[in-house]
């Protein structure tokens, strides 16, 4: 018996191995989209089916025979994905928000059947006649964050009944084969050597003092949302213009400075997400093109925030230049600290139909701590993702507060040395300097010999001297 299919891409091969060692299926992407228009269910599902038909990866299953270490990608005939239907139109806005906040993480727990097509989780939630929510989830083997953004764009265009979108020039299976050829060619040795020279894979992995060490614990990602003050978004935009660096470089600089302060490791590695679509012909391609690249930054207390941001910008530029040649090698499974940043279109509007991404989640690599940032119009959302098998929620809440404090300090005083940036919140500082320093004790107004005599009078039979098993009392 034979299976006709295509090789997994290098990144898919890595993810397949990681997924087989997980008790659950943590590697997935999911998006929540608010649709503001009177669009009936049949029309919405037909538009989504039109998007599914355009992309082979959305109709791909993963098949293997006994003795095969890796499956192959098998492209199937498109199918209309089944949808879970919810009607929350009878609830208040506050109650609807509560329900949505429960539905999104519940959907993240649903398993995927990678041998059945399509491996898509779909839910439609009615809020009112002209407002509904679309929840869409995919295994990371088939998608990444940029793919979800592209799907929302294509759904908007299809719903508007505008001109039919042109067929993609490349499908993911084509890209996967091209990636293999790139990594196997003698002509690309310089690119592969770029990632080997720093010896990223042999660098020590720092640990945090409050990290929980559990034997054979599986990766269990959780999320803590940070409530940054509204002025942070405007300050970020201002510093980006003044320093001539990207917002991503500024936020990653904050994250690397924070981790440096926590670990005291002067040359920490942070795995940084890149969407893998530098070439214009790859931008419409759906599939797992994104990967996390190691960025190693040497820090010391005398550097300024401006200097760090400039260096991070340069490192990110180099990583983008050589990203196609990066591949995990050796025994290292992952880098413990990660960072991602995404700029999303605020609204997808066509023919009076408005689509807006209101929530998004992606996990395509394991980590211990990951800072995830999303810029959408004037808004900035920041989340702290963590492996709950390594950290408990109370420690993560404290870290989130400390990170917020150091961001505010760096943005307010960007020219100070990074070693002087404030990390303790006012509440933590008061606790440390005042509450935990309440050591004063009231003593009677007497000399020591008077206190001694008073103690003898209270306990005259207490031992005063012990010697070779014999004792003499005060009395």
């Amino acid at each position: 018996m034979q299976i006709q299919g295509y090789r997994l891409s290098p990144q898919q091969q890595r993810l397949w191995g990681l997924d087989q060692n997980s008790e659950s299926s943590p590697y997935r992407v999911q998006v929540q989209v608010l649709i503001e228009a009177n669009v009936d269910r049949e029309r919405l599902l037909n538009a989504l089916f039109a998007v599914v038909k355009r992309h082979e990866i959305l109709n791909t299953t993963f098949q293997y025979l006994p003795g095969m270490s890796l499956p192959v990608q098998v492209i199937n005939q498109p199918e209309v994905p089944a949808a879970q239907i919810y009607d929350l139109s009878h609830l208040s806005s506050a109650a609807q928000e509560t329900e949505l906040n429960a539905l999104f993480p519940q959907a993240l727990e649903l398993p995927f059947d990678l041998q059945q097509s399509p491996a898509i989780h779909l839910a439609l939630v009615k809020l009112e006649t002209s407002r509904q929510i679309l929840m869409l989830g995919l295994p990371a083997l088939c998608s990444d964050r940029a793919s979800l953004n592209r799907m929302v764009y294509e759904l908007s265009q299809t719903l508007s009944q505008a001109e039919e979108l042109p067929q993609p020039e490349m499908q993911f299976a084509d890209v996967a084969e091209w990636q293999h050829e790139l990594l196997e060619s003698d002509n690309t040795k310089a690119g592969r050597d770029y990632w080997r020279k720093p010896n990223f894979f042999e660098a020590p992995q720092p640990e945090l003092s409050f990290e929980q060490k559990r034997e054979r614990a599986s990766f269990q990602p959780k999320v803590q949302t940070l409530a940054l003050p509204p002025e942070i978004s405007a300050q970020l935009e201002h510093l980006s213009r003044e320093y001539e660096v990207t917002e991503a470089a500024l936020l990653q600089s904050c994250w690397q400075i924070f981790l440096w302060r926590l670990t005291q490791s002067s040359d920490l590695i942070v795995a940084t997400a890149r969407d893998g679509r530098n070439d214009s012909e790859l931008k419409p391609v759906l599939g797992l093109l994104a990967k996390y690249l190691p960025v190693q930054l040497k820090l010391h207390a005398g550097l300024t925030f401006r200097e760090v941001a400039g260096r991070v910008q340069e490192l990110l530029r180099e990583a983008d230049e050589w990203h196609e040649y990066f591949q995990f090698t050796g025994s290292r499974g992952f880098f413990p600290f990660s960072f991602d940043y995404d700029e999303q279109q605020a609204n997808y509007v066509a023919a009076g139909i408005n689509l807006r991404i209101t929530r998004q989640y992606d996990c395509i690599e394991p980590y211990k701590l990951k800072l995830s940032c999303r810029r959408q119009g004037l808004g900035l959302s920041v989340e702290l993702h963590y492996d709950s098998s390594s950290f408990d929620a109370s420690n993560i809440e404290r870290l989130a507060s400390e990170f917020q404090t150091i961001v505010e300090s760096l943005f307010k005083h960007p020219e100070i040395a990074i070693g002087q940036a404030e990390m303790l919140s006012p509440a933590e500082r008061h606790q440390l300097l005042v509450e935990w320093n309440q050591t004063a004790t009231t003593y009677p107004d007497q000399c020591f010999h008077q206190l001694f005599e008073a103690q003898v009078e209270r306990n005259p039979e207490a031992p005063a001297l012990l010697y070779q098993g014999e004792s003499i009392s005060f009395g």
Side-chain angles (χ1 to χ4, degrees):
M1 181 178 177
Q2 291 184 334
I3 300 175
Q4 297 295 322
Y6 300 87
R7 279 195 292 181
L8 302 186
S9 73
Q11 185 70 353
Q12 282 179 313
Q13 290 178 353
R14 167 172 165 74
L15 198 60
W16 179 268
L18 290 170
D19 215 11
Q20 302 313 297
N21 295 325
S22 298
E23 296 177 2
S24 57
S25 298
Y27 306 106
R28 58 178 65 218
V29 296
Q30 187 167 299
V31 67
Q32 177 177 294
V33 184
L34 173 63
I35 303 173
E36 295 179 299
N38 191 2
V39 180
D40 63 63
R41 186 189 307 165
E42 183 179 0
R43 180 182 171 190
L44 181 56
L45 289 175
N46 286 338
L48 187 61
F49 181 50
V51 175
V52 170
K53 287 193 296 184
R54 284 172 42 79
H55 300 280
E56 292 177 351
I57 190 63
L58 300 180
N59 306 292
T60 295
T61 55
F62 299 86
Q63 309 289 342
Y64 56 94
L65 296 174
M68 294 173 60
S69 59
L70 288 170
V72 294
Q73 304 183 74
V74 178
I75 300 168
N76 306 277
Q77 289 297 315
E79 295 181 22
V80 179
Q84 292 282 343
I85 307 299
Y86 302 89
D87 188 348
L88 305 182
S89 59
H90 61 289
L91 298 178
S92 66
S93 297
Q96 288 177 346
E97 190 65 25
T98 299
E99 289 295 318
L100 290 173
N101 287 339
L103 285 174
F104 194 87
Q106 286 173 14
L108 291 174
E109 300 297 324
L110 296 174
F112 289 107
D113 187 346
L114 298 175
Q115 294 184 299
Q116 296 294 321
S117 178
I120 299 175
H121 292 154
L122 179 63
L124 299 176
V125 185
K126 181 180 179 181
L127 303 179
E128 54 185 76
T129 303
S130 59
R131 295 176 75 247
Q132 59 185 312
I133 290 289
L134 165 69
M135 285 189 190
L136 184 65
L138 289 158
L141 281 167
C142 299
S143 187
D144 55 18
R145 182 178 290 214
S147 298
L148 292 180
N149 294 342
R150 178 72 188 185
M151 287 183 71
V152 174
Y153 163 74
E154 292 190 5
L155 180 62
S156 170
Q157 295 299 303
T158 306
L159 281 172
S160 70
Q161 297 180 337
E163 294 184 11
E164 187 173 340
L165 291 169
Q167 287 298 311
E169 295 182 8
M170 299 181 69
Q171 294 288 346
F172 181 77
D174 304 320
V175 178
E177 196 57 37
W178 168 72
Q179 289 176 333
H180 279 292
E181 293 172 1
L182 196 69
L183 292 173
E184 294 165 1
S185 171
D186 292 336
N187 297 329
T188 58
K189 184 176 181 298
R192 297 195 300 275
D193 286 346
Y194 171 82
W195 295 107
R196 294 192 184 112
K197 286 178 181 176
N199 210 12
F200 291 121
F201 303 103
E202 302 302 324
Q205 296 192 50
E207 294 184 344
L208 301 179
S209 59
F210 48 85
E211 189 174 323
Q212 300 169 355
K213 296 177 178 61
R214 298 176 180 173
E215 291 293 329
R216 301 178 63 84
S218 62
F219 176 50
Q220 300 172 28
K222 300 287 184 184
V223 182
Q224 171 75 36
T225 301
L226 276 68
L228 294 178
E231 59 268 21
I232 289 293
S233 178
Q235 290 173 334
L236 176 64
E237 188 176 1
H238 169 74
L239 288 174
S240 176
R241 288 196 306 268
E242 182 180 350
Y243 290 176
E244 297 182 335
V245 297
T246 64
E247 293 186 0
L250 287 167
L251 289 167
Q252 180 162 343
S253 298
C254 292
W255 183 232
Q256 299 222 198
I257 291 168
F258 178 68
L259 293 172
W260 164 66
R261 294 278 294 269
L262 281 178
T263 64
Q264 297 299 303
S265 176
S266 61
D267 53 357
L268 196 71
I269 296 172
V270 170
T272 304
R274 317 310 284 172
D275 76 359
R277 293 169 172 84
N278 289 359
D279 298 329
S280 58
E281 60 265 31
L282 293 178
K283 293 191 181 299
V285 177
L286 267 59
L288 180 61
L289 273 70
K291 63 176 70 172
Y292 281 79
L293 305 177
V295 173
Q296 188 171 33
L297 181 66
K298 294 186 180 296
L299 295 176
H300 60 81
L303 289 171
T304 66
F305 184 47
R306 178 196 287 265
E307 291 171 328
V308 174
R311 181 57 180 147
V312 168
Q313 173 99 335
E314 178 62 20
L315 290 171
L316 293 179
R317 186 197 62 76
E318 290 181 11
D320 278 336
E321 181 180 352
W322 300 100
H323 77 278
E324 295 165 340
Y325 309 100
F326 176 75
Q327 194 174 18
F328 264 89
T329 59
S331 59
R332 167 158 292 175
F334 66 99
F335 296 106
F337 304 115
S338 299
F339 173 83
D340 66 52
Y341 174 88
D342 185 37
E343 277 192 23
Q344 288 180 345
Q345 190 170 324
N347 294 280
Y348 299 84
V349 183
I353 301 173
N354 183 41
L355 274 64
R356 178 163 57 90
I357 295 176
T358 57
R359 194 168 181 179
Q360 196 163 10
Y361 175 90
D362 67 294
C363 179
I364 65 171
E365 275 284 338
Y367 51 80
K368 289 183 180 179
L369 288 174
K370 178 178 75 171
L371 186 73
S372 181
C373 306
R374 181 163 64 98
R375 165 69 86 178
Q376 192 176 43
L378 298 177
L380 177 69
S381 63
V382 179
E383 295 175 336
L384 187 56
H385 295 232
Y386 64 100
D387 181 2
S388 61
S389 68
S390 296
F391 303 101
D392 60 40
S394 61
N395 280 325
I396 294 301
E397 288 175 5
R398 177 176 56 81
L399 286 184
S401 174
E402 291 175 351
F403 179 70
Q404 178 173 329
T405 299
I406 204 168
V407 169
E408 293 174 5
S409 177
L410 290 168
F411 281 15
K412 188 176 181 180
H413 307 288
E415 299 302 329
I416 66 170
I418 60 174
Q420 298 176 6
E422 187 59 66
M423 220 169 113
L424 294 178
S425 67
E428 287 180 312
R429 179 171 289 278
H430 182 271
Q431 185 182 56
L432 180 65
L433 299 180
V434 179
E435 295 178 21
W436 289 353
N437 205 29
Q438 299 280 3
T439 57
T441 302
T442 302
Y443 290 95
D445 188 17
Q446 291 178 297
C447 296
F448 175 77
H449 72 278
Q450 294 172 315
L451 293 172
F452 188 87
E453 291 171 353
Q455 180 67 19
V456 169
E457 290 179 2
R458 284 193 296 271
N459 298 285
E461 300 305 319
L465 180 65
L466 295 174
Y467 180 70
Q468 294 185 349
E470 297 184 12
S471 67
I472 301 174
S473 68
F474 286 107

